[in-house]
Amino acid sequence: MLNKLTRRKKTVSDDTKKDVLHGDIPVHIAIIMDGNGRWAKQRGLPRVAGHREGMNVVRSVVRSCNELDVKILTLYAFSTENWKRPKTEVDFLMKLPEKFLSVELPKLIEENVRVRITGDIERLPEFTKKAVNEAVETTKNNNGLILNFALNYGSRSELMDAFKSMYADVREGVLDEQHISEETVTDYLMTSGLSEPDLLIRTSGEIRLSNFMLWQLAYSEFWFTEVLWPDFDQENFYEAIQAYQQRQRRYGGV
Ligand code: FPP
């Protein structure tokens, strides 16, 4: 039975789906999945219960992206700053990729999804690395949705690493400093090869970027909702895309 704190997950009608499919579908959607801790606290549960529920929402968002033929979905799953959290919470978060992939990988393969990781995975525990590397390897030839997990990712350190690599390449004569362009910087980022997000969604009412894709989000459309990530449902996801479809992207022009 649903208790008063459980928000019934809403799905959208076939008519809404058709309407949305007639509009411009964002090629790349990036999501800051926020509010798991508050969701759990509201229910008197440990914070990790929010993360577990949040993982289930990932499943449903992946399904919606497939339905709409979104090409890239980037999910901010663990930031370089999240190491500051209590050890029990970090340990739990580190288990989620393995937990998720042990159930979902066969389905992702069936759905032609390609798993990709953006972030420094070297610092992750062996079992996390193993699970994500296996998913990346097994799905590398798939050409459907790219499911890009930002794991141990921080945009400033990504940019610093890119600048250091460019500097080293200039010194070694591999890169000509006269020819460094915006495209060059883009190519040195961890997201090299991926188009920039068209739409950024952040849940839980926080209006900030939290060190997420600072370069890549320069011209993205932003959509914020008060809904906490574990409550985020198909209706909310479509709402975000419908809002995106109303926007006029001018990229600094008129
Ligand atoms: C932010 O909410 C959320 C995170 C730091 C973790 C997000 C991870 C998931 C949703 C699961 C990911 C699933 C896979 C498969 C890797 P918060 O804890 O900061 O919430 P609060 O602001 O309410 O405390």
PDB file of all heavy atoms in Angstrom, residues 1-11 39 43 227 230-236:
ATOM      1  N   MET A   1       0.840  -1.206   0.000  1.00  0.00           N
ATOM      2  CA  MET A   1       0.000   0.000   0.000  1.00  0.00           C
ATOM      3  C   MET A   1       0.880   1.264   0.000  1.00  0.00           C
ATOM      4  O   MET A   1       1.917   1.284   0.633  1.00  0.00           O
ATOM      5  CB  MET A   1      -0.887  -0.009   1.239  1.00  0.00           C
ATOM      6  CG  MET A   1      -2.210   0.686   0.991  1.00  0.00           C
ATOM      7  SD  MET A   1      -3.307   0.569   2.410  1.00  0.00           S
ATOM      8  CE  MET A   1      -2.581   1.741   3.529  1.00  0.00           C
ATOM      9  N   LEU A   2       0.405   2.285  -0.693  1.00  0.00           N
ATOM     10  CA  LEU A   2       1.207   3.507  -0.741  1.00  0.00           C
ATOM     11  C   LEU A   2       0.978   4.303   0.535  1.00  0.00           C
ATOM     12  O   LEU A   2      -0.158   4.535   0.924  1.00  0.00           O
ATOM     13  CB  LEU A   2       0.762   4.367  -1.933  1.00  0.00           C
ATOM     14  CG  LEU A   2       0.981   3.797  -3.324  1.00  0.00           C
ATOM     15  CD1 LEU A   2       0.300   4.652  -4.358  1.00  0.00           C
ATOM     16  CD2 LEU A   2       2.473   3.733  -3.616  1.00  0.00           C
ATOM     17  N   ASN A   3       2.060   4.724   1.212  1.00  0.00           N
ATOM     18  CA  ASN A   3       1.823   5.588   2.370  1.00  0.00           C
ATOM     19  C   ASN A   3       1.798   7.032   1.891  1.00  0.00           C
ATOM     20  O   ASN A   3       2.004   7.321   0.716  1.00  0.00           O
ATOM     21  CB  ASN A   3       2.867   5.338   3.471  1.00  0.00           C
ATOM     22  CG  ASN A   3       4.250   5.805   3.067  1.00  0.00           C
ATOM     23  OD1 ASN A   3       4.377   6.786   2.340  1.00  0.00           O
ATOM     24  ND2 ASN A   3       5.260   5.101   3.519  1.00  0.00           N
ATOM     25  N   LYS A   4       1.508   7.952   2.824  1.00  0.00           N
ATOM     26  CA  LYS A   4       1.262   9.329   2.378  1.00  0.00           C
ATOM     27  C   LYS A   4       2.510  10.009   1.806  1.00  0.00           C
ATOM     28  O   LYS A   4       2.409  11.005   1.113  1.00  0.00           O
ATOM     29  CB  LYS A   4       0.611  10.168   3.480  1.00  0.00           C
ATOM     30  CG  LYS A   4       1.462  10.432   4.705  1.00  0.00           C
ATOM     31  CD  LYS A   4       0.648  11.292   5.649  1.00  0.00           C
ATOM     32  CE  LYS A   4       1.455  11.890   6.774  1.00  0.00           C
ATOM     33  NZ  LYS A   4       2.275  10.970   7.544  1.00  0.00           N
ATOM     34  N   LEU A   5       3.668   9.453   2.077  1.00  0.00           N
ATOM     35  CA  LEU A   5       4.888  10.066   1.545  1.00  0.00           C
ATOM     36  C   LEU A   5       5.293   9.475   0.196  1.00  0.00           C
ATOM     37  O   LEU A   5       6.209   9.926  -0.444  1.00  0.00           O
ATOM     38  CB  LEU A   5       6.033   9.893   2.543  1.00  0.00           C
ATOM     39  CG  LEU A   5       5.964  10.819   3.741  1.00  0.00           C
ATOM     40  CD1 LEU A   5       6.961  10.386   4.799  1.00  0.00           C
ATOM     41  CD2 LEU A   5       6.221  12.251   3.325  1.00  0.00           C
ATOM     42  N   THR A   6       4.587   8.433  -0.214  1.00  0.00           N
ATOM     43  CA  THR A   6       4.951   7.812  -1.486  1.00  0.00           C
ATOM     44  C   THR A   6       4.169   8.492  -2.599  1.00  0.00           C
ATOM     45  O   THR A   6       2.958   8.519  -2.593  1.00  0.00           O
ATOM     46  CB  THR A   6       4.637   6.303  -1.465  1.00  0.00           C
ATOM     47  OG1 THR A   6       5.266   5.756  -0.327  1.00  0.00           O
ATOM     48  CG2 THR A   6       5.171   5.624  -2.710  1.00  0.00           C
ATOM     49  N   ARG A   7       4.928   9.044  -3.514  1.00  0.00           N
ATOM     50  CA  ARG A   7       4.287   9.750  -4.615  1.00  0.00           C
ATOM     51  C   ARG A   7       4.088   8.742  -5.732  1.00  0.00           C
ATOM     52  O   ARG A   7       5.030   8.091  -6.154  1.00  0.00           O
ATOM     53  CB  ARG A   7       5.228  10.882  -5.043  1.00  0.00           C
ATOM     54  CG  ARG A   7       4.710  11.801  -6.098  1.00  0.00           C
ATOM     55  CD  ARG A   7       5.756  12.925  -6.247  1.00  0.00           C
ATOM     56  NE  ARG A   7       5.493  13.729  -7.424  1.00  0.00           N
ATOM     57  CZ  ARG A   7       5.904  13.393  -8.636  1.00  0.00           C
ATOM     58  NH1 ARG A   7       6.577  12.285  -8.828  1.00  0.00           N
ATOM     59  NH2 ARG A   7       5.632  14.176  -9.660  1.00  0.00           N
ATOM     60  N   ARG A   8       2.849   8.594  -6.170  1.00  0.00           N
ATOM     61  CA  ARG A   8       2.598   7.622  -7.229  1.00  0.00           C
ATOM     62  C   ARG A   8       3.287   8.082  -8.517  1.00  0.00           C
ATOM     63  O   ARG A   8       3.153   9.231  -8.929  1.00  0.00           O
ATOM     64  CB  ARG A   8       1.095   7.500  -7.466  1.00  0.00           C
ATOM     65  CG  ARG A   8       0.719   6.297  -8.299  1.00  0.00           C
ATOM     66  CD  ARG A   8      -0.755   6.327  -8.598  1.00  0.00           C
ATOM     67  NE  ARG A   8      -1.549   6.067  -7.401  1.00  0.00           N
ATOM     68  CZ  ARG A   8      -1.825   4.840  -6.931  1.00  0.00           C
ATOM     69  NH1 ARG A   8      -1.368   3.794  -7.556  1.00  0.00           N
ATOM     70  NH2 ARG A   8      -2.561   4.685  -5.853  1.00  0.00           N
ATOM     71  N   LYS A   9       4.044   7.197  -9.126  1.00  0.00           N
ATOM     72  CA  LYS A   9       4.779   7.561 -10.348  1.00  0.00           C
ATOM     73  C   LYS A   9       3.804   7.673 -11.511  1.00  0.00           C
ATOM     74  O   LYS A   9       3.008   6.768 -11.743  1.00  0.00           O
ATOM     75  CB  LYS A   9       5.841   6.503 -10.664  1.00  0.00           C
ATOM     76  CG  LYS A   9       6.956   6.462  -9.621  1.00  0.00           C
ATOM     77  CD  LYS A   9       8.279   6.883 -10.213  1.00  0.00           C
ATOM     78  CE  LYS A   9       9.308   7.298  -9.190  1.00  0.00           C
ATOM     79  NZ  LYS A   9       9.746   6.340  -8.239  1.00  0.00           N
ATOM     80  N   LYS A  10       3.871   8.798 -12.211  1.00  0.00           N
ATOM     81  CA  LYS A  10       2.943   9.000 -13.322  1.00  0.00           C
ATOM     82  C   LYS A  10       3.617   8.714 -14.650  1.00  0.00           C
ATOM     83  O   LYS A  10       4.767   9.068 -14.867  1.00  0.00           O
ATOM     84  CB  LYS A  10       2.436  10.446 -13.305  1.00  0.00           C
ATOM     85  CG  LYS A  10       1.550  10.751 -12.124  1.00  0.00           C
ATOM     86  CD  LYS A  10       0.816  12.061 -12.365  1.00  0.00           C
ATOM     87  CE  LYS A  10       0.023  12.446 -11.141  1.00  0.00           C
ATOM     88  NZ  LYS A  10       0.288  13.805 -10.719  1.00  0.00           N
ATOM     89  N   THR A  11       2.848   8.091 -15.537  1.00  0.00           N
ATOM     90  CA  THR A  11       3.347   7.856 -16.888  1.00  0.00           C
ATOM     91  C   THR A  11       2.586   8.796 -17.827  1.00  0.00           C
ATOM     92  O   THR A  11       1.617   9.425 -17.421  1.00  0.00           O
ATOM     93  CB  THR A  11       3.125   6.390 -17.312  1.00  0.00           C
ATOM     94  OG1 THR A  11       1.752   6.079 -17.109  1.00  0.00           O
ATOM     95  CG2 THR A  11       3.997   5.443 -16.529  1.00  0.00           C
ATOM     96  N   TRP A  39      14.876  12.919   0.140  1.00  0.00           N
ATOM     97  CA  TRP A  39      13.765  11.974  -0.076  1.00  0.00           C
ATOM     98  C   TRP A  39      13.754  10.934   1.054  1.00  0.00           C
ATOM     99  O   TRP A  39      12.719  10.621   1.620  1.00  0.00           O
ATOM    100  CB  TRP A  39      13.944  11.297  -1.432  1.00  0.00           C
ATOM    101  CG  TRP A  39      12.864  10.338  -1.833  1.00  0.00           C
ATOM    102  CD1 TRP A  39      11.739  10.616  -2.555  1.00  0.00           C
ATOM    103  CD2 TRP A  39      12.807   8.932  -1.533  1.00  0.00           C
ATOM    104  NE1 TRP A  39      10.989   9.476  -2.726  1.00  0.00           N
ATOM    105  CE2 TRP A  39      11.625   8.427  -2.105  1.00  0.00           C
ATOM    106  CE3 TRP A  39      13.637   8.057  -0.833  1.00  0.00           C
ATOM    107  CZ2 TRP A  39      11.244   7.086  -2.010  1.00  0.00           C
ATOM    108  CZ3 TRP A  39      13.258   6.723  -0.729  1.00  0.00           C
ATOM    109  CH2 TRP A  39      12.076   6.250  -1.318  1.00  0.00           C
ATOM    110  N   ARG A  43      11.255  10.368   4.871  1.00  0.00           N
ATOM    111  CA  ARG A  43      10.604   9.104   5.215  1.00  0.00           C
ATOM    112  C   ARG A  43      11.219   8.443   6.447  1.00  0.00           C
ATOM    113  O   ARG A  43      10.913   7.296   6.760  1.00  0.00           O
ATOM    114  CB  ARG A  43      10.714   8.133   4.026  1.00  0.00           C
ATOM    115  CG  ARG A  43       9.812   8.567   2.921  1.00  0.00           C
ATOM    116  CD  ARG A  43      10.206   8.013   1.573  1.00  0.00           C
ATOM    117  NE  ARG A  43       9.242   8.478   0.590  1.00  0.00           N
ATOM    118  CZ  ARG A  43       9.229   9.711   0.082  1.00  0.00           C
ATOM    119  NH1 ARG A  43      10.154  10.593   0.434  1.00  0.00           N
ATOM    120  NH2 ARG A  43       8.286  10.077  -0.766  1.00  0.00           N
ATOM    121  N   VAL A 227      11.001  18.529  -7.872  1.00  0.00           N
ATOM    122  CA  VAL A 227      10.824  17.086  -7.629  1.00  0.00           C
ATOM    123  C   VAL A 227      12.155  16.453  -7.229  1.00  0.00           C
ATOM    124  O   VAL A 227      13.182  16.715  -7.857  1.00  0.00           O
ATOM    125  CB  VAL A 227      10.266  16.391  -8.909  1.00  0.00           C
ATOM    126  CG1 VAL A 227      10.215  14.873  -8.744  1.00  0.00           C
ATOM    127  CG2 VAL A 227       8.896  16.941  -9.257  1.00  0.00           C
ATOM    128  N   PRO A 230      14.330  10.583  -6.539  1.00  0.00           N
ATOM    129  CA  PRO A 230      13.634   9.303  -6.432  1.00  0.00           C
ATOM    130  C   PRO A 230      12.164   9.384  -6.837  1.00  0.00           C
ATOM    131  O   PRO A 230      11.536   8.361  -7.128  1.00  0.00           O
ATOM    132  CB  PRO A 230      13.775   8.941  -4.944  1.00  0.00           C
ATOM    133  CG  PRO A 230      14.988   9.682  -4.507  1.00  0.00           C
ATOM    134  CD  PRO A 230      14.947  10.982  -5.251  1.00  0.00           C
ATOM    135  N   ASP A 231      11.607  10.603  -6.855  1.00  0.00           N
ATOM    136  CA  ASP A 231      10.202  10.776  -7.259  1.00  0.00           C
ATOM    137  C   ASP A 231      10.064  11.122  -8.738  1.00  0.00           C
ATOM    138  O   ASP A 231       8.949  11.226  -9.248  1.00  0.00           O
ATOM    139  CB  ASP A 231       9.563  11.929  -6.460  1.00  0.00           C
ATOM    140  CG  ASP A 231       9.181  11.499  -5.056  1.00  0.00           C
ATOM    141  OD1 ASP A 231       8.901  10.300  -4.856  1.00  0.00           O
ATOM    142  OD2 ASP A 231       9.154  12.373  -4.166  1.00  0.00           O
ATOM    143  N   PHE A 232      11.165  11.366  -9.385  1.00  0.00           N
ATOM    144  CA  PHE A 232      11.135  11.833 -10.782  1.00  0.00           C
ATOM    145  C   PHE A 232      10.524  10.727 -11.652  1.00  0.00           C
ATOM    146  O   PHE A 232      11.007   9.594 -11.679  1.00  0.00           O
ATOM    147  CB  PHE A 232      12.571  12.128 -11.224  1.00  0.00           C
ATOM    148  CG  PHE A 232      12.701  12.855 -12.529  1.00  0.00           C
ATOM    149  CD1 PHE A 232      12.482  14.225 -12.614  1.00  0.00           C
ATOM    150  CD2 PHE A 232      13.058  12.175 -13.684  1.00  0.00           C
ATOM    151  CE1 PHE A 232      12.630  14.901 -13.825  1.00  0.00           C
ATOM    152  CE2 PHE A 232      13.204  12.839 -14.894  1.00  0.00           C
ATOM    153  CZ  PHE A 232      12.989  14.210 -14.963  1.00  0.00           C
ATOM    154  N   ASP A 233       9.443  11.062 -12.356  1.00  0.00           N
ATOM    155  CA  ASP A 233       8.775  10.021 -13.138  1.00  0.00           C
ATOM    156  C   ASP A 233       8.718  10.373 -14.619  1.00  0.00           C
ATOM    157  O   ASP A 233       9.242  11.406 -15.047  1.00  0.00           O
ATOM    158  CB  ASP A 233       7.373   9.733 -12.557  1.00  0.00           C
ATOM    159  CG  ASP A 233       6.483  10.960 -12.562  1.00  0.00           C
ATOM    160  OD1 ASP A 233       6.772  11.900 -13.330  1.00  0.00           O
ATOM    161  OD2 ASP A 233       5.499  10.983 -11.800  1.00  0.00           O
ATOM    162  N   GLN A 234       8.072   9.510 -15.368  1.00  0.00           N
ATOM    163  CA  GLN A 234       8.015   9.713 -16.825  1.00  0.00           C
ATOM    164  C   GLN A 234       7.346  11.048 -17.164  1.00  0.00           C
ATOM    165  O   GLN A 234       7.772  11.746 -18.081  1.00  0.00           O
ATOM    166  CB  GLN A 234       7.237   8.554 -17.466  1.00  0.00           C
ATOM    167  CG  GLN A 234       7.404   8.504 -18.960  1.00  0.00           C
ATOM    168  CD  GLN A 234       6.499   7.464 -19.598  1.00  0.00           C
ATOM    169  OE1 GLN A 234       5.311   7.350 -19.274  1.00  0.00           O
ATOM    170  NE2 GLN A 234       7.042   6.683 -20.499  1.00  0.00           N
ATOM    171  N   GLU A 235       6.310  11.398 -16.382  1.00  0.00           N
ATOM    172  CA  GLU A 235       5.616  12.662 -16.648  1.00  0.00           C
ATOM    173  C   GLU A 235       6.573  13.850 -16.487  1.00  0.00           C
ATOM    174  O   GLU A 235       6.586  14.765 -17.302  1.00  0.00           O
ATOM    175  CB  GLU A 235       4.435  12.811 -15.681  1.00  0.00           C
ATOM    176  CG  GLU A 235       3.488  13.887 -16.099  1.00  0.00           C
ATOM    177  CD  GLU A 235       2.263  13.926 -15.184  1.00  0.00           C
ATOM    178  OE1 GLU A 235       2.367  14.471 -14.066  1.00  0.00           O
ATOM    179  OE2 GLU A 235       1.225  13.408 -15.593  1.00  0.00           O
ATOM    180  N   ASN A 236       7.404  13.823 -15.454  1.00  0.00           N
ATOM    181  CA  ASN A 236       8.386  14.901 -15.240  1.00  0.00           C
ATOM    182  C   ASN A 236       9.393  14.958 -16.384  1.00  0.00           C
ATOM    183  O   ASN A 236       9.769  16.029 -16.839  1.00  0.00           O
ATOM    184  CB  ASN A 236       9.152  14.703 -13.926  1.00  0.00           C
ATOM    185  CG  ASN A 236       8.257  14.630 -12.713  1.00  0.00           C
ATOM    186  OD1 ASN A 236       8.425  13.761 -11.864  1.00  0.00           O
ATOM    187  ND2 ASN A 236       7.284  15.518 -12.608  1.00  0.00           N
TER     188      ASN A 236
END
